[in-house]
Amino acid sequence: MRRRVWCGVGWAVLVTALTLIVYGSRAWAGPSRSGPSRSGPSAAAPAVRVAAVASESAGARAVTGAGAGADVGVPAIGRVWPVGVRPSVLRGWEPPATPYGPGHRGVDLAAAPGSPVRAVAAGRVAFAGRVAGRGVVTVELTGTGLRTTYEPVRPSVEKGAEVGAGDVVGVVAETGGRCGASACVHWGLLRGGTYLNPLSLLPPWLLGRGPSRLLPVLTG
């Protein structure tokens, strides 16, 4: 009888010792290398991923509401605005529903009389003269099939002249009427006989949108 009791006690002691050894070694080893435990408060910590977020400056808001978005197929080859650094858009692009319907076939940019008017991209002067009493300069953009128009302008170039991006093609004429009491330059863009949104020529950094920057975005 005593022998059976001692055997039972011995087995209990042995099982207890083995249990302490196994669980004690796991506690000493620390968290599993396969990754943190999914139970407990630490599992709720959000993962962080990085996303590219484009920052917009106040200048971008200056062209908000300036008309419809960029036209498909128009390369953003512009390197300067036609006038100023980032002029106010007095009236935006309003494409007509039909070829002869009402609308606004270009954008009106605020500019004081006598201000220089520049070619937004490289090309050749296709026209420099007067149309309906206003000075107009038309530049065919190299290798695109597109042409830009600027009015009212006192031209300083002649038909056939090669111009680079930023070259002065004339100055803002005092003849008004299009923008009411405000002086402006009407900037147009055409492909054949189809009018397009001239703002499509300008890359984001010219429209006032800064370069992309990386910001942390938290996800659960």
Side-chain angles (χ1 to χ4, degrees), residues 53-166:
V53 179
S55 62
E56 290 193 359
S57 67
R61 290 188 289 272
V63 296
T64 300
D71 284 303
V72 176
V74 176
I77 58 174
R79 292 297 174 263
V80 294
W81 284 86
V83 290
V85 177
R86 190 172 295 154
S88 298
V89 178
L90 300 180
R91 185 178 179 186
W93 164 247
E94 300 167 11
T98 62
Y100 301 101
H104 191 231
R105 297 164 173 81
V107 294
D108 292 340
L109 306 175
S115 301
V117 179
R118 296 180 170 83
V120 299
R124 182 182 64 86
V125 177
F127 180 83
R130 300 187 72 79
V131 176
R134 293 177 180 164
V136 179
V137 173
T138 301
V139 177
E140 295 177 342
L141 305 182
T142 304
T144 64
L146 301 169
R147 63 187 188 276
T148 56
T149 61
Y150 312 95
E151 62 170 294
V153 175
R154 292 203 307 270
S156 59
V157 292
E158 296 181 351
K159 180 179 179 179
E162 299 289 334
V163 294

Side-chain angles (χ1 to χ4, degrees), residues 184-200:
C184 72
V185 165
H186 179 77
W187 176 29
L189 175 66
L190 297 96
R191 178 185 283 121
T194 303
Y195 285 88
L196 303 169
N197 184 357
L199 293 177
S200 302

Side-chain angles (χ1 to χ4, degrees), residues 51-61 86 204-215:
V53 179
S55 62
E56 290 193 359
S57 67
R61 290 188 289 272
R86 190 172 295 154
W205 61 270
L206 267 178
L207 288 172
R209 301 181 178 93
S212 297
R213 56 193 177 95
L214 296 180
L215 294 177

